[in-house]
Structure formats: structure tokens, C-alpha cells
Amino acid sequence: MISEISPQMLLDNEAFKRSNEVLYVFYSADELTLPFLSKIGIQKCIYLSEVLSPLKKIILSFMDFIYLHKGPYSKDIQNILDHLVSMNAIEVDSFSTHKKNLYVNYKITEIGESLVENLIYDPMEKEKLEWIRIVMRLIDAYKDAFDLSQEYGGVDKIIDLVYQEPSFYEIKQRNGKGELIPMGDKNNLTMELIHFLEKVEEALPRRFNREKYKLDWETVLLAFFEYLYVKYLSEKA
Amino acid sequence: MIDKNKIFKIITGSPTLKVFKETQKIELVGFYNQLEALLKRDIPYGEVGEKFILCIALTFENQGEWNIFDSGVLASKIEEGLLDENNVVLSNPKGYVIRVIKGKYINNYVEASNFSGEQPRLVFFVNYMEVHLSFNGKPLHYIANIMRPSRVGVDTPEMLPAREYRKLITNHHDRHVYKERGSFKYWRNKAKRILIDKPEIQFNKNLYSYLDLNVIDGRVDISATISGLEDKTDIRIMTFETGDIYIIEIKCLGKTNSTKYPDDWANEGLIELCRYLKDEKDAKTGVLVIYDGRMKDEKINWHADIEWHPKVDRDPMKFFLVSDSASVKAKKIYSALKKKKKGL
């Protein structure tokens, strides 16, 4: 007998996948000894993990980021945070304020850690965690770079780099509030840049030692972050 | 639209990419970013003085005693004299100092580079505003002045294409040589016009660092080899679009405590440059840059027998080194500004 998968089951399945991915972000943050993630920071971390994921052909589940003035925003994330708190997988750590708004800061619990350690028995889940882990390490490496916003603290400072992210930046330039940010490998400025970086040595004249400038995928990712930072500094100068 | 020149600048010259390519450790990129931010934050407020010389060697041990990046901590350690006799600290990538190495004082970047090779490790040598990075016994990156925009690829008002090399070299002179900014010092005794030992090294490094940040369309190298030869140019620029090569040869005239560098020294520079141009088939042009520390601002007597290579810039650039005190220089700058305003 062929089992039927109802639309509701598909929806539930998708929701669980998203919950897992959010949990991986918290797990990676904990490994990096980051004390907490705010709800602003988590949006940015998930966005970068998602928009860059075609580089490693990883399929993540958040495709519905829209342009808001505070950066890319997915309404699902707040619901998932509430869901994870109700499961005791993450907990409220503290509160912070920004422009009179109160923001909740979350951190992973032991239950959350144990959930992740079980989930990664599945190789696909493990691959997702590895991907998010490396994006988080880059976020950690750049969050304290010189001249990033003084308005924010910790991981939230990465907001200045996310504003320079090509797919977001393009919509920001035309002030397309509420517009869906294109994700995936096609018709997307982010991937256009990534693909250029993947074969950057071929674009240099033969006089250059092309082999020396061939980038592996981790260096492509680092070059991408450096590009965002350099663009930010250039715009600020 | 992708800014290709910016990307080429990053992949060929960014310090963070150099660190990662050598070490494969993202944490060390984080350390670089934090150290740069710390120096840019603390130096302008006088938290650290001009005599500040520090060598940081990276290790992956966990337990640290204090953190370099905690606000004001490094400055207060320097103030307390912790680094007066021993200036080499072992730090982990999070900035926790494992220990200060006893009986070890590193005076210059060559010693720092050698130290990085004793055990393969990343070493930062910080001499006030000057920063040298080395890994495993070889120099990795150099920043002449950390207070300038110090990230390769960042837009600056002084950015120009390589073909405008004369303007670039002149701008460097006006902004950095004339004003002796940051750690860039070339006089041992201004009143007697005695230069420091091996002054060309200072000019070479400082101009390289300036060009690295301000040549918009090419990679800048210091001591790059000529194709197929062992000769090394002082500075070489190679453009991203065409691969054209620009060679810059630097000579410094005047006297140090032990050596005199007369006209002949400039003539030798010209001969060297012409030889490089003959051997480097992709060279577009080459220019001789002379920093003149002699007693008087005199013309160079070029030897009549020198065969000028067709590609050499026939007008070598000569800058007379002014040895006025800072206050006299300031008066001169102000007077020039007033004249400019009056349209004189």
C-alpha cells in the first residue's frame, strides 16, 4: 500500500526542517562561545547561510526572505524561535534595547544540544550543520572588524555586512520594501558573484600565476565576506 | 554589477585571504580583524605611545591570563611596563594571552619573521602604526600605517590606475614622505642631514604599502623577480586587465653614519632599471624614483654613456628631502594653503 502524504504533513515536515536549521545556528554559536543570539542576529545568520548555500549545493529550507529596512527578514523565524523555546531547545538569555525597541536574546539549552547531536546521525543533517558552522565562523571572524556599527553589539554588528550582500543591496537601492529576495542559483546577484570568485583566476591575464589565485570553496566564502566588508568601508569613507 | 577590480585586489592582496591561505584557520582571520580594530581605536587616543613595539605570536592553547582585546587592558599592561623587557606575547585567536615569553625581545620585522619560522606560527610585529605579518619564517603582509584605510580594495580618494604612476608617487611623497607620518622616519639627525642606515628600505616599504592600497587596477609587489632571472625589482605593478608591468626603482641619495650615496648611486639605479626593462618583456615602462637627502637640492649628473632603454621614463622623479622641524613644515604647508586660497 502506498502511504499518502497529506499537504499538512508536508507543511509539518518543512517546519521541522526549518526548526533544525535554526537550532544548528544556536549550536554553532555555542561552539564559538558566543553568549547569545538576538532575534536580529539570528535573522542575519540564517539569511547568509541560506543565500550562500548553493555554493556547496546545500538545500536549506528558508526561501522567503523579504526586504525590510532592518535587513532581510523571514516571518517564519520568530514562530520557530517560539516553538524552540516551548520545546526547551533554546531559552531566553536576556533582553537588549535598540532605538526604544526591546529585543529578546536566546541561547541553546542542553536539551537543544542533545537534539542536534541526535539529528546529525542523518548525513544530510550533518552536512547542513557543517555548512552553518562555517558560515557562523566567518560571521564570528568579521563581527568585531573595525568600524562596524556602534549601534549594535555581538553578532548583530554583522548587519552592516548583510546590507552589502548583492541580492539584498540591489533591492535596497530601489527601496523595494517588502520585496521577496531572490534565492537559489539562478538570476541571483549573490551567486553571480560567487560563480565569478569560483573561477576568478581565469579572468586574470596569463602573466599572473593563475594557479596561485585559484580559490577553494572555503576561500571563496572568505573572499565573499571580505568583499562585503570592503564595500561597506568604501561606502562609509 | 560586480566590481571586478575590487575582487582582483582582494584575491591578490587582502591580508585576511593571505592569512587564511597560509594557515587554513578562520579564527586567525578573526584575530587579524580584531587586532586591526584595536590598533585603530587605541592609537589615535594616545592609549599607546610611539615607542610601542609588540610582537604577538599565535598559538591554539586555551587557557589565557588576560585578553588583548578587552577594553584598555593592553594599554594598561604597556603602561605598567609589562612589555618593556620582554615584548613577545603568546596569544590564542580569541586574544587570550597564554604568557609573555621571558627573555625575548624582538626589535624588528626581520627578527619577527625569523621567530615565526622557529615553530610554524603566525606572528604580528607591531611597531606603533606599522604592522608586519609573517608566517613560518616568511613575510606575509605589510601595513606601513594602520591609521590609513588599511584594507586592500577599499575606495580611497587617492586611488588611480597604474598608468598614472607619476601622480601616485607624487601623492605618496606629499602626504607621507614630506609629512613623515606615523612610524615612517628616515632622518637620524635632521640638523646635520644624516639619514638612517639603509634608508631605501624604509622608502621602498612605505611606497609599496601606499601603492598597494591606491593602485586601483593592479597588483603591487615588493621585491618581485624579473621573469627568468634572479634580479628583483624594488616595486612592481601588474595590471589586472592586460598584465602590463610597471617597474619602480628607488634610490636614496645623501649620507648615513657609515655610507655616502652620491650622484653615482642614482646612475647605478638607472642602469639597473634599464636592465630590468630589457629582460622583462611584458614591461610597459619603468621609472627611477630618487629621494634626495644631500645637503643641497642639486640636479643629478647623468652619465653620458648610459644607454636609456626605450621604455624607461625619461624623466626620473626626484624628491628633495626636507629636514625642517615639524613646526617649520607646518608653517610652510599653511602658507601654501593661503596662497592657494588667494589663487596665487
Tab-separated table of all heavy atoms in Angstrom, chain B residues 91-142:
chain	number	residue	atom	x	y	z
B	91	SER	N	49.523	34.462	22.220
B	91	SER	CA	48.085	34.670	22.386
B	91	SER	C	47.323	33.612	21.603
B	91	SER	O	47.810	33.117	20.589
B	91	SER	CB	47.721	36.053	21.854
B	91	SER	OG	46.333	36.170	21.661
B	92	ASN	N	46.115	33.284	22.084
B	92	ASN	CA	45.286	32.404	21.256
B	92	ASN	C	44.407	33.280	20.351
B	92	ASN	O	44.367	34.501	20.525
B	92	ASN	CB	44.520	31.400	22.120
B	92	ASN	CG	43.398	32.016	22.924
B	92	ASN	OD1	42.961	33.116	22.635
B	92	ASN	ND2	42.930	31.309	23.938
B	93	PRO	N	43.712	32.692	19.368
B	93	PRO	CA	42.974	33.522	18.408
B	93	PRO	C	41.873	34.370	19.035
B	93	PRO	O	41.443	35.351	18.444
B	93	PRO	CB	42.386	32.497	17.432
B	93	PRO	CG	43.269	31.317	17.542
B	93	PRO	CD	43.709	31.262	18.972
B	94	LYS	N	41.411	34.002	20.215
B	94	LYS	CA	40.386	34.821	20.879
B	94	LYS	C	41.011	36.021	21.592
B	94	LYS	O	40.303	36.829	22.192
B	94	LYS	CB	39.604	33.962	21.891
B	94	LYS	CG	38.653	32.961	21.242
B	94	LYS	CD	37.317	33.616	20.931
B	94	LYS	CE	36.360	32.631	20.260
B	94	LYS	NZ	35.203	33.282	19.651
B	95	GLY	N	42.345	36.088	21.596
B	95	GLY	CA	43.028	37.229	22.219
B	95	GLY	C	43.503	36.976	23.636
B	95	GLY	O	44.038	37.868	24.286
B	96	TYR	N	43.286	35.749	24.131
B	96	TYR	CA	43.757	35.444	25.492
B	96	TYR	C	45.262	35.209	25.484
B	96	TYR	O	45.760	34.372	24.721
B	96	TYR	CB	43.033	34.218	26.069
B	96	TYR	CG	41.642	34.561	26.512
B	96	TYR	CD1	40.541	34.252	25.705
B	96	TYR	CD2	41.422	35.245	27.704
B	96	TYR	CE1	39.257	34.615	26.090
B	96	TYR	CE2	40.147	35.607	28.088
B	96	TYR	CZ	39.068	35.289	27.278
B	96	TYR	OH	37.804	35.659	27.650
B	97	VAL	N	45.960	35.955	26.313
B	97	VAL	CA	47.421	35.842	26.372
B	97	VAL	C	47.787	34.652	27.256
B	97	VAL	O	47.449	34.604	28.440
B	97	VAL	CB	48.047	37.142	26.913
B	97	VAL	CG1	49.535	36.964	27.177
B	97	VAL	CG2	47.835	38.267	25.913
B	98	ILE	N	48.440	33.696	26.630
B	98	ILE	CA	48.849	32.489	27.360
B	98	ILE	C	50.003	32.868	28.291
B	98	ILE	O	49.997	32.535	29.470
B	98	ILE	CB	49.284	31.368	26.390
B	98	ILE	CG1	48.239	31.160	25.282
B	98	ILE	CG2	49.605	30.071	27.121
B	98	ILE	CD1	46.839	30.825	25.731
B	99	ARG	N	50.996	33.580	27.730
B	99	ARG	CA	52.077	34.097	28.572
B	99	ARG	C	52.925	35.090	27.768
B	99	ARG	O	52.869	35.114	26.528
B	99	ARG	CB	52.965	32.971	29.113
B	99	ARG	CG	53.724	32.211	28.069
B	99	ARG	CD	54.602	31.119	28.680
B	99	ARG	NE	55.295	30.403	27.633
B	99	ARG	CZ	54.773	29.430	26.912
B	99	ARG	NH1	53.522	29.056	27.123
B	99	ARG	NH2	55.483	28.826	25.976
B	100	VAL	N	53.700	35.888	28.501
B	100	VAL	CA	54.710	36.732	27.873
B	100	VAL	C	55.997	35.917	27.909
B	100	VAL	O	56.355	35.374	28.961
B	100	VAL	CB	54.886	38.060	28.650
B	100	VAL	CG1	55.998	38.905	28.036
B	100	VAL	CG2	53.575	38.842	28.667
B	101	ILE	N	56.673	35.773	26.753
B	101	ILE	CA	57.858	34.906	26.714
B	101	ILE	C	59.028	35.608	27.406
B	101	ILE	O	59.423	36.709	27.007
B	101	ILE	CB	58.233	34.535	25.263
B	101	ILE	CG1	57.052	33.795	24.612
B	101	ILE	CG2	59.498	33.672	25.227
B	101	ILE	CD1	57.270	33.392	23.175
B	102	LYS	N	59.544	34.968	28.442
B	102	LYS	CA	60.619	35.580	29.232
B	102	LYS	C	61.930	35.593	28.452
B	102	LYS	O	62.255	34.652	27.749
B	102	LYS	CB	60.787	34.825	30.550
B	102	LYS	CG	59.702	35.196	31.542
B	102	LYS	CD	60.046	34.765	32.946
B	102	LYS	CE	58.944	35.261	33.871
B	102	LYS	NZ	58.653	34.360	34.932
B	103	GLY	N	62.668	36.691	28.600
B	103	GLY	CA	63.996	36.804	27.981
B	103	GLY	C	63.952	36.965	26.481
B	103	GLY	O	64.944	36.731	25.799
B	104	LYS	N	62.807	37.368	25.949
B	104	LYS	CA	62.698	37.510	24.498
B	104	LYS	C	62.230	38.929	24.150
B	104	LYS	O	61.157	39.360	24.571
B	104	LYS	CB	61.692	36.482	23.955
B	104	LYS	CG	61.651	36.383	22.460
B	104	LYS	CD	62.550	35.281	21.945
B	104	LYS	CE	62.617	35.247	20.444
B	104	LYS	NZ	63.805	34.550	19.961
B	105	TYR	N	63.048	39.658	23.423
B	105	TYR	CA	62.665	40.992	22.945
B	105	TYR	C	62.947	41.046	21.450
B	105	TYR	O	64.077	40.836	21.012
B	105	TYR	CB	63.443	42.094	23.672
B	105	TYR	CG	62.820	43.454	23.450
B	105	TYR	CD1	61.889	43.969	24.360
B	105	TYR	CD2	63.129	44.202	22.323
B	105	TYR	CE1	61.288	45.197	24.134
B	105	TYR	CE2	62.521	45.431	22.093
B	105	TYR	CZ	61.609	45.926	23.009
B	105	TYR	OH	60.998	47.137	22.787
B	106	ILE	N	61.928	41.310	20.670
B	106	ILE	CA	62.092	41.366	19.212
B	106	ILE	C	62.090	42.826	18.776
B	106	ILE	O	61.161	43.577	19.077
B	106	ILE	CB	61.003	40.523	18.524
B	106	ILE	CG1	61.360	39.053	18.739
B	106	ILE	CG2	60.891	40.870	17.038
B	106	ILE	CD1	60.523	38.051	18.045
B	107	ASN	N	63.172	43.228	18.107
B	107	ASN	CA	63.383	44.635	17.769
B	107	ASN	C	62.837	45.043	16.410
B	107	ASN	O	62.510	46.192	16.199
B	107	ASN	CB	64.892	44.943	17.755
B	107	ASN	CG	65.458	44.919	19.142
B	107	ASN	OD1	65.202	45.808	19.937
B	107	ASN	ND2	66.222	43.875	19.450
B	108	ASN	N	62.813	44.098	15.477
B	108	ASN	CA	62.416	44.497	14.119
B	108	ASN	C	61.704	43.356	13.402
B	108	ASN	O	61.645	42.231	13.909
B	108	ASN	CB	63.633	44.966	13.317
B	108	ASN	CG	64.711	43.897	13.269
B	108	ASN	OD1	64.443	42.756	12.894
B	108	ASN	ND2	65.923	44.243	13.685
B	109	TYR	N	61.216	43.690	12.206
B	109	TYR	CA	60.376	42.725	11.495
B	109	TYR	C	61.168	41.518	10.995
B	109	TYR	O	60.602	40.437	10.813
B	109	TYR	CB	59.622	43.409	10.345
B	109	TYR	CG	60.476	43.865	9.196
B	109	TYR	CD1	60.645	43.050	8.077
B	109	TYR	CD2	61.112	45.093	9.209
B	109	TYR	CE1	61.430	43.467	7.015
B	109	TYR	CE2	61.897	45.514	8.155
B	109	TYR	CZ	62.055	44.702	7.056
B	109	TYR	OH	62.828	45.101	6.012
B	110	VAL	N	62.472	41.698	10.785
B	110	VAL	CA	63.276	40.550	10.315
B	110	VAL	C	63.367	39.511	11.437
B	110	VAL	O	63.154	38.306	11.207
B	110	VAL	CB	64.684	41.012	9.863
B	110	VAL	CG1	65.520	39.820	9.406
B	110	VAL	CG2	64.582	42.036	8.744
B	111	GLU	N	63.619	40.001	12.650
B	111	GLU	CA	63.651	39.085	13.799
B	111	GLU	C	62.285	38.426	13.989
B	111	GLU	O	62.194	37.239	14.311
B	111	GLU	CB	64.022	39.853	15.071
B	111	GLU	CG	65.481	40.280	15.143
B	111	GLU	CD	65.783	41.131	16.388
B	111	GLU	OE1	64.995	41.102	17.358
B	111	GLU	OE2	66.809	41.811	16.363
B	112	ALA	N	61.238	39.215	13.788
B	112	ALA	CA	59.875	38.679	13.961
B	112	ALA	C	59.600	37.579	12.939
B	112	ALA	O	59.027	36.526	13.270
B	112	ALA	CB	58.852	39.797	13.821
B	113	SER	N	60.036	37.830	11.706
B	113	SER	CA	59.819	36.845	10.655
B	113	SER	C	60.585	35.550	10.957
B	113	SER	O	60.048	34.446	10.805
B	113	SER	CB	60.255	37.449	9.321
B	113	SER	OG	60.030	36.555	8.291
B	114	ASN	N	61.829	35.711	11.416
B	114	ASN	CA	62.614	34.520	11.782
B	114	ASN	C	61.952	33.760	12.924
B	114	ASN	O	61.895	32.535	12.924
B	114	ASN	CB	64.036	34.922	12.197
B	114	ASN	CG	64.827	35.438	11.004
B	114	ASN	OD1	64.497	35.145	9.869
B	114	ASN	ND2	65.860	36.224	11.274
B	115	PHE	N	61.429	34.523	13.887
B	115	PHE	CA	60.768	33.903	15.034
B	115	PHE	C	59.543	33.092	14.594
B	115	PHE	O	59.270	32.021	15.127
B	115	PHE	CB	60.371	34.993	16.041
B	115	PHE	CG	59.656	34.483	17.247
B	115	PHE	CD1	60.291	33.632	18.146
B	115	PHE	CD2	58.341	34.850	17.492
B	115	PHE	CE1	59.617	33.154	19.267
B	115	PHE	CE2	57.666	34.376	18.608
B	115	PHE	CZ	58.306	33.520	19.495
B	116	SER	N	58.842	33.607	13.561
B	116	SER	CA	57.647	32.882	13.077
B	116	SER	C	58.019	31.544	12.452
B	116	SER	O	57.159	30.674	12.276
B	116	SER	CB	56.875	33.734	12.069
B	116	SER	OG	57.522	33.723	10.816
B	117	GLY	N	59.313	31.394	12.102
B	117	GLY	CA	59.750	30.135	11.500
B	117	GLY	C	60.281	29.132	12.511
B	117	GLY	O	60.448	27.954	12.181
B	118	GLU	N	60.536	29.607	13.754
B	118	GLU	CA	61.066	28.668	14.760
B	118	GLU	C	60.063	27.544	15.012
B	118	GLU	O	60.424	26.388	15.169
B	118	GLU	CB	61.380	29.410	16.063
B	118	GLU	CG	62.651	30.250	15.944
B	118	GLU	CD	62.925	31.067	17.195
B	118	GLU	OE1	62.351	30.762	18.270
B	118	GLU	OE2	63.701	32.034	17.096
B	119	GLN	N	58.804	27.937	15.121
B	119	GLN	CA	57.696	26.971	15.081
B	119	GLN	C	56.737	27.575	14.075
B	119	GLN	O	56.524	28.775	14.143
B	119	GLN	CB	56.983	26.907	16.429
B	119	GLN	CG	57.694	26.090	17.471
B	119	GLN	CD	56.919	26.118	18.779
B	119	GLN	OE1	55.700	26.101	18.802
B	119	GLN	NE2	57.653	26.170	19.865
B	120	PRO	N	56.182	26.794	13.158
B	120	PRO	CA	55.305	27.429	12.159
B	120	PRO	C	54.123	28.119	12.844
B	120	PRO	O	53.223	27.446	13.350
B	120	PRO	CB	54.831	26.262	11.294
B	120	PRO	CG	55.731	25.141	11.619
B	120	PRO	CD	56.266	25.360	12.989
B	121	ARG	N	54.205	29.426	12.919
B	121	ARG	CA	53.109	30.155	13.539
B	121	ARG	C	52.973	31.535	12.912
B	121	ARG	O	53.899	32.047	12.296
B	121	ARG	CB	53.311	30.265	15.048
B	121	ARG	CG	54.658	30.784	15.472
B	121	ARG	CD	54.679	31.228	16.910
B	121	ARG	NE	54.498	30.199	17.891
B	121	ARG	CZ	55.356	29.947	18.889
B	121	ARG	NH1	56.480	30.642	18.990
B	121	ARG	NH2	55.100	29.030	19.780
B	122	LEU	N	51.798	32.101	13.086
B	122	LEU	CA	51.536	33.442	12.578
B	122	LEU	C	52.046	34.440	13.612
B	122	LEU	O	51.757	34.309	14.805
B	122	LEU	CB	50.030	33.616	12.373
B	122	LEU	CG	49.564	34.875	11.675
B	122	LEU	CD1	50.001	34.892	10.223
B	122	LEU	CD2	48.048	34.996	11.742
B	123	VAL	N	52.806	35.429	13.138
B	123	VAL	CA	53.372	36.422	14.048
B	123	VAL	C	53.037	37.828	13.550
B	123	VAL	O	53.209	38.136	12.375
B	123	VAL	CB	54.905	36.237	14.174
B	123	VAL	CG1	55.551	37.439	14.855
B	123	VAL	CG2	55.227	34.968	14.953
B	124	PHE	N	52.535	38.641	14.472
B	124	PHE	CA	52.283	40.060	14.185
B	124	PHE	C	53.368	40.873	14.866
B	124	PHE	O	53.538	40.755	16.077
B	124	PHE	CB	50.930	40.513	14.770
B	124	PHE	CG	49.736	39.913	14.095
B	124	PHE	CD1	49.353	38.602	14.345
B	124	PHE	CD2	48.975	40.665	13.213
B	124	PHE	CE1	48.245	38.041	13.729
B	124	PHE	CE2	47.859	40.125	12.589
B	124	PHE	CZ	47.497	38.810	12.844
B	125	PHE	N	54.087	41.679	14.091
B	125	PHE	CA	55.065	42.597	14.682
B	125	PHE	C	54.490	44.001	14.543
B	125	PHE	O	54.263	44.484	13.442
B	125	PHE	CB	56.413	42.487	13.966
B	125	PHE	CG	57.446	43.435	14.505
B	125	PHE	CD1	58.028	43.211	15.747
B	125	PHE	CD2	57.820	44.561	13.792
B	125	PHE	CE1	58.967	44.095	16.262
B	125	PHE	CE2	58.764	45.447	14.302
B	125	PHE	CZ	59.337	45.207	15.535
B	126	VAL	N	54.190	44.618	15.675
B	126	VAL	CA	53.542	45.928	15.663
B	126	VAL	C	54.518	46.964	16.202
B	126	VAL	O	54.927	46.889	17.366
B	126	VAL	CB	52.255	45.931	16.533
B	126	VAL	CG1	51.514	47.257	16.382
B	126	VAL	CG2	51.354	44.767	16.185
B	127	ASN	N	54.926	47.885	15.337
B	127	ASN	CA	55.829	48.960	15.731
B	127	ASN	C	55.056	50.267	15.608
B	127	ASN	O	55.028	50.893	14.558
B	127	ASN	CB	57.063	48.949	14.820
B	127	ASN	CG	58.048	50.033	15.175
B	127	ASN	OD1	57.851	50.768	16.141
B	127	ASN	ND2	59.113	50.138	14.400
B	128	TYR	N	54.358	50.627	16.682
B	128	TYR	CA	53.477	51.796	16.701
B	128	TYR	C	52.439	51.661	15.578
B	128	TYR	O	51.570	50.820	15.681
B	128	TYR	CB	54.312	53.078	16.626
B	128	TYR	CG	53.540	54.356	16.847
B	128	TYR	CD1	52.522	54.439	17.812
B	128	TYR	CD2	53.816	55.508	16.118
B	128	TYR	CE1	51.828	55.613	18.021
B	128	TYR	CE2	53.129	56.694	16.328
B	128	TYR	CZ	52.133	56.740	17.271
B	128	TYR	OH	51.451	57.910	17.465
B	129	MET	N	52.543	52.440	14.479
B	129	MET	CA	51.494	52.352	13.450
B	129	MET	C	51.835	51.343	12.352
B	129	MET	O	51.050	51.129	11.436
B	129	MET	CB	51.307	53.723	12.802
B	129	MET	CG	50.751	54.751	13.761
B	129	MET	SD	50.379	56.259	12.885
B	129	MET	CE	49.988	57.330	14.257
B	130	GLU	N	53.023	50.763	12.441
B	130	GLU	CA	53.488	49.859	11.390
B	130	GLU	C	53.206	48.398	11.803
B	130	GLU	O	53.478	48.031	12.946
B	130	GLU	CB	54.996	50.078	11.260
B	130	GLU	CG	55.624	49.546	10.033
B	130	GLU	CD	57.136	49.811	10.027
B	130	GLU	OE1	57.707	50.085	11.098
B	130	GLU	OE2	57.725	49.711	8.956
B	131	VAL	N	52.679	47.615	10.875
B	131	VAL	CA	52.371	46.218	11.210
B	131	VAL	C	52.964	45.285	10.150
B	131	VAL	O	52.773	45.492	8.949
B	131	VAL	CB	50.840	45.975	11.300
B	131	VAL	CG1	50.547	44.530	11.666
B	131	VAL	CG2	50.193	46.906	12.318
B	132	HIS	N	53.707	44.276	10.625
B	132	HIS	CA	54.246	43.245	9.742
B	132	HIS	C	53.625	41.915	10.146
B	132	HIS	O	53.617	41.577	11.324
B	132	HIS	CB	55.753	43.097	9.937
B	132	HIS	CG	56.554	44.207	9.374
B	132	HIS	ND1	57.133	44.156	8.127
B	132	HIS	CD2	56.888	45.409	9.890
B	132	HIS	CE1	57.790	45.279	7.904
B	132	HIS	NE2	57.666	46.052	8.954
B	133	LEU	N	53.191	41.167	9.145
B	133	LEU	CA	52.695	39.818	9.431
B	133	LEU	C	53.658	38.821	8.819
B	133	LEU	O	54.062	38.996	7.662
B	133	LEU	CB	51.368	39.604	8.715
B	133	LEU	CG	50.102	39.666	9.526
B	133	LEU	CD1	49.674	41.098	9.597
B	133	LEU	CD2	49.037	38.841	8.851
B	134	SER	N	54.009	37.799	9.560
B	134	SER	CA	54.807	36.747	8.935
B	134	SER	C	54.299	35.385	9.387
B	134	SER	O	53.667	35.260	10.445
B	134	SER	CB	56.290	36.921	9.236
B	134	SER	OG	56.494	37.291	10.566
B	135	PHE	N	54.576	34.408	8.560
B	135	PHE	CA	54.149	33.044	8.884
B	135	PHE	C	55.232	32.068	8.448
B	135	PHE	O	55.736	32.154	7.329
B	135	PHE	CB	52.827	32.713	8.179
B	135	PHE	CG	52.351	31.307	8.449
B	135	PHE	CD1	51.854	30.953	9.698
B	135	PHE	CD2	52.417	30.332	7.467
B	135	PHE	CE1	51.436	29.660	9.958
B	135	PHE	CE2	52.004	29.035	7.715
B	135	PHE	CZ	51.509	28.702	8.968
B	136	ASN	N	55.586	31.209	9.368
B	136	ASN	CA	56.521	30.141	9.052
B	136	ASN	C	57.824	30.661	8.423
B	136	ASN	O	58.322	30.107	7.447
B	136	ASN	CB	55.827	29.146	8.115
B	136	ASN	CG	56.493	27.782	8.170
B	136	ASN	OD1	57.357	27.541	9.018
B	136	ASN	ND2	56.103	26.908	7.270
B	137	GLY	N	58.330	31.752	8.963
B	137	GLY	CA	59.623	32.272	8.529
B	137	GLY	C	59.604	33.163	7.309
B	137	GLY	O	60.644	33.602	6.852
B	138	LYS	N	58.416	33.460	6.768
B	138	LYS	CA	58.400	34.364	5.598
B	138	LYS	C	57.386	35.497	5.785
B	138	LYS	O	56.321	35.290	6.387
B	138	LYS	CB	58.160	33.594	4.302
B	138	LYS	CG	56.807	32.985	4.175
B	138	LYS	CD	56.605	32.402	2.784
B	138	LYS	CE	55.172	31.919	2.638
B	138	LYS	NZ	54.870	31.313	1.385
B	139	PRO	N	57.744	36.688	5.256
B	139	PRO	CA	56.824	37.820	5.384
B	139	PRO	C	55.532	37.551	4.628
B	139	PRO	O	55.564	36.989	3.529
B	139	PRO	CB	57.581	38.982	4.741
B	139	PRO	CG	58.954	38.504	4.504
B	139	PRO	CD	58.941	37.020	4.485
B	140	LEU	N	54.405	37.948	5.232
B	140	LEU	CA	53.102	37.655	4.624
B	140	LEU	C	52.403	38.929	4.162
B	140	LEU	O	51.798	38.975	3.099
B	140	LEU	CB	52.240	36.946	5.681
B	140	LEU	CG	51.082	36.104	5.227
B	140	LEU	CD1	51.567	34.987	4.327
B	140	LEU	CD2	50.375	35.503	6.449
B	141	HIS	N	52.487	39.969	4.982
B	141	HIS	CA	51.787	41.208	4.647
B	141	HIS	C	52.414	42.353	5.424
B	141	HIS	O	52.922	42.156	6.522
B	141	HIS	CB	50.301	41.092	5.007
B	141	HIS	CG	49.462	42.200	4.461
B	141	HIS	ND1	49.166	42.316	3.123
B	141	HIS	CD2	48.880	43.268	5.060
B	141	HIS	CE1	48.420	43.398	2.931
B	141	HIS	NE2	48.238	43.992	4.095
B	142	TYR	N	52.350	43.544	4.830
B	142	TYR	CA	52.936	44.720	5.477
B	142	TYR	C	51.967	45.883	5.403
B	142	TYR	O	51.392	46.162	4.351
B	142	TYR	CB	54.254	45.082	4.775
B	142	TYR	CG	54.826	46.393	5.249
B	142	TYR	CD1	55.261	46.547	6.562
B	142	TYR	CD2	54.924	47.482	4.389
B	142	TYR	CE1	55.774	47.756	7.003
B	142	TYR	CE2	55.451	48.690	4.822
B	142	TYR	CZ	55.872	48.822	6.123
B	142	TYR	OH	56.381	50.014	6.566
